[in-house]
Amino acid sequence: MRRPILRNLFLASSLLALTQLMTPTDAAAEARLALVIGQSAYRTVPELPNAANDAKGMAELLGNAGFTVTAAPDLAQSEMRQAISDFAGKVSASGADTIALVFYAGHGLQIDGENYLVPVDLDPKREADIPLQGVRLNDLLNTLGALPTRARIFMLDACRNNPFPALSGAGHGLAIVDTKAGAQGTFISYSTSPGAEAEDGSGVDSPYTTAALTVAKQPNVPIEEVFKRIRIAVAQSTDGRQIPWESSSLTTDFKFFGDSSGQQPPAPGAGSMALASATRSVEDWRKDLQGKDAKVAYDLVIADDTVPAYQAYVELYAQATYTPRLRSILERRRQMLAWDRAVAINTRASFEAYLANWDNSDLAATARKLLLRVQNRNYVLPVAAAAVPAPIAVALAPTCPCSTPTTPASPINPTVAPIIKKRVDDTPPKRKVVDTPPKRRPPPDETVVERAPPQDRGPPPAAVMQGIGIGIGLGMGMGGGGGRGGGGEMGHGDYGRSRY
């Protein structure tokens, strides 16, 4: 009787071990948490039916991949902020070995170089309302970036067209977000290229989510390869109109399904060539693409999605049917990289450089506005003494009659030099001692009445204070010493920036 029991126990333990080996994720080795936001029921603009479908499909996929999913559909601004805060609390409590993933489907906007997620109650009357009514993407990135986690993954199907008539000056699509500028361990994916608009699709799901639901199920595929395959699939389904984009600073491996010991299947259309290398030059890409079929080369450069790859393709395949669309992608990518640099540097020179090359772009109006803002900032804040023109220093000097020169001074009048030199001399002026004038000798027959001379009490107090005020005020005005630091850029966390 004991042998059948022992045999059954052994069989049960073997089946349990086999079941654990066949689990689709590495959830036993790491905690996986996901926040899925689907913004469909907008109140002031037409609904997005596919956004709700996208969110449901991704919630199911992530649940099968071992994630504990929090679904949050149709959020107003306060609800979205609360959902992000609650999710951050769960991630923090889960520990440092946590994979945190956020999927967002809905509208997204770019205002003044900042990306915003759009709550369903947003009702802007002007661009200035978006920071008040929207949710900054950088706030989401920084909130999770401040927590100790193994990895943070953001999937944004948010680059649809701008539906708000009051925001006609807003740029198309979303601005670039460089994850390498923030906390390490971040992966962010857009449904299309920066500065481009994604399609909602004619099916149940958007082209981006449709591809993600199919490709992410493939076992033992690293996340970087997953999104390259998603990019190729979306480009094919949209005839090149939509090219997903991502940025990564991950420091650990991640796979939606499978474990690290699995064998990675070859990438479609890749042959034996490695797809990834953002550091490869145009010349390197020319050598790699030389002699390949135009369609094979097209899939390779789409998978890489870099300026050098696109540049090499349009040079080598000038007559190919794919070249016009890649030339447009290349031009837009260069523009968005230039825009990203201009906003990051945030100086007069950076915005002038952008306008010199992209004066007719959709972001030109914003560039002019930010240029004016920077100019006003530099005008109001004090600057270094060497940068202050002489006429300003003279004009700001006190206008007391006792200190006004008899000859009008000009910036090139050499007579001004000794005055400026004298005013900024650090050595305090010595007080002149006035001797008592000698007594007048009276004639011999004149009677003289001796009176004690008045005591020398110095100049009146008011005159002394006036002299001190003139000396200090004029000296500091002309010399330019002191003052606050001027015109510096203020950061809003790892990924954010401000131009105020």
Side-chain angles (χ1 to χ4, degrees):
M1 294 294 293
R2 292 182 179 179
R3 290 182 180 179
I5 295 176
L6 292 175
R7 188 184 302 112
N8 292 337
L9 290 175
F10 177 77
L11 181 60
S13 62
S14 299
L15 290 174
L16 178 61
L18 182 60
T19 302
Q20 291 175 346
L21 290 174
M22 294 177 62
T23 52
T25 70
D26 292 327
E30 63 193 10
R32 295 186 170 194
L33 300 177
L35 173 63
V36 177
I37 301 174
Q39 299 290 81
S40 177
Y42 285 96
R43 302 173 187 174
T44 61
V45 295
E47 293 187 0
L48 289 176
N50 280 8
N53 299 330
D54 296 342
K56 292 177 182 178
M58 285 302 303
E60 182 179 355
L61 171 73
L62 295 173
N64 293 334
F67 282 86
T68 300
V69 180
T70 300
D74 296 330
L75 301 179
Q77 185 196 48
S78 59
E79 296 169 339
M80 188 181 298
R81 293 183 183 276
Q82 188 61 50
I84 294 172
S85 178
D86 293 343
F87 181 68
K90 294 178 182 178
V91 172
S92 178
S94 184
D97 200 30
T98 300
I99 304 293
L101 187 148
V102 177
F103 175 84
Y104 175 90
H107 282 300
L109 296 170
Q110 175 192 170
I111 303 295
D112 294 355
E114 292 275 8
N115 294 326
Y116 292 87
L117 306 180
V118 179
V120 295
D121 61 341
L122 187 135
D123 185 18
K125 300 299 185 294
R126 60 196 65 83
E127 289 184 18
D129 290 338
I130 299 303
L132 300 176
Q133 300 181 20
V135 175
R136 275 199 347 149
L137 173 60
N138 282 324
D139 290 340
L140 170 62
L141 298 176
N142 292 333
T143 297
L144 295 181
L147 303 176
T149 56
R150 183 177 174 186
R152 295 165 299 277
I153 303 169
F154 302 89
M155 300 173 62
L156 303 177
D157 198 351
C159 308
R160 294 169 169 88
N161 65 308
N162 170 23
F164 299 97
L167 307 180
S168 58
H172 300 306
L174 299 180
I176 289 175
V177 173
D178 186 2
T179 58
K180 295 178 178 61
Q184 287 188 337
T186 300
F187 185 96
I188 184 169
S189 171
Y190 288 171
S191 58
T192 191
S193 301
E197 294 179 352
E199 300 179 7
D200 199 38
S202 56
V204 175
D205 297 307
S206 71
Y208 173 78
T209 301
T210 298
L213 293 176
T214 301
V215 176
K217 292 178 181 179
Q218 299 173 5
N220 300 320
V221 182
I223 186 173
E224 295 85 359
E225 184 63 32
V226 166
F227 282 91
K228 287 179 182 178
R229 298 183 186 187
I230 290 174
R231 181 161 45 249
I232 294 174
V234 173
Q236 291 175 347
S237 66
T238 62
D239 195 24
R241 297 186 301 273
Q242 184 173 331
I243 310 293
W245 173 93
E246 68 268 351
S247 177
S248 174
S249 65
L250 290 179
T251 58
T252 185
D253 294 332
F254 173 79
K255 300 172 183 178
F256 285 97
F257 292 88
D259 55 35
S260 301
S261 62
Q263 182 68 30
Q264 176 184 335
S272 60
M273 192 190 87
L275 292 177
S277 181
T279 60
R280 294 161 71 184
S281 66
V282 176
E283 184 60 32
D284 292 335
W285 273 103
R286 288 196 196 100
K287 294 178 182 178
D288 290 335
L289 299 179
Q290 192 73 43
K292 286 184 169 57
D293 178 76
K295 179 61 169 63
V296 173
Y298 172 78
D299 288 342
L300 292 174
V301 299
I302 287 293
D304 190 71
D305 192 41
T306 61
V307 168
Y310 292 139
Q311 179 66 39
Y313 187 95
V314 298
E315 291 177 3
L316 290 175
Y317 302 89
Q319 304 303 321
T321 57
Y322 306 101
T323 299
R325 70 183 65 162
L326 288 188
R327 187 175 286 115
S328 299
I329 294 171
L330 175 62
E331 183 76 3
R332 185 61 171 176
R333 183 63 53 83
R334 284 174 169 166
Q335 179 192 341
M336 294 308 297
L337 289 171
W339 176 242
D340 181 62
R341 286 192 295 269
V343 174
I345 297 172
N346 191 33
T347 63
R348 174 177 179 175
S350 70
F351 291 118
E352 288 179 341
Y354 177 84
L355 290 170
N357 295 289
W358 313 100
D359 189 48
N360 295 322
S361 71
D362 58 310
L363 295 168
T366 301
R368 295 188 188 96
K369 178 176 63 176
L370 297 181
L371 173 60
L372 180 61
R373 185 180 298 170
V374 170
Q375 290 174 329
N376 292 339
R377 178 193 69 190
N378 292 341
Y379 175 77
V380 172
L381 295 178
V383 292
V388 179
I392 295 179
V394 173
L396 296 180
T399 55
C400 175
C402 59
S403 64
T404 303
T406 56
T407 303
S410 65
I412 59 175
N413 190 342
T415 61
V416 177
I419 299 175
I420 296 177
K421 182 177 180 180
K422 181 176 180 181
R423 292 297 183 186
V424 300
D425 189 358
D426 293 333
T427 306
K430 296 182 179 180
R431 185 173 177 179
K432 184 177 180 181
V433 179
V434 181
D435 297 330
T436 305
K439 298 180 180 180
R440 181 175 59 86
R441 292 180 177 274
D445 56 349
E446 182 177 346
T447 301
V448 178
V449 178
E450 292 287 343
R451 289 188 177 93
Q455 185 176 359
D456 185 6
R457 299 180 181 178
V464 175
M465 295 306 295
Q466 184 181 25
I468 293 175
I470 294 172
I472 294 177
L474 191 57
M476 292 183 68
M478 293 182 177
R484 300 168 291 173
E489 181 178 343
M490 298 184 295
H492 281 279
D494 292 335
Y495 303 89
R497 61 177 78 95
S498 175
R499 287 155 301 284
Y500 298 91

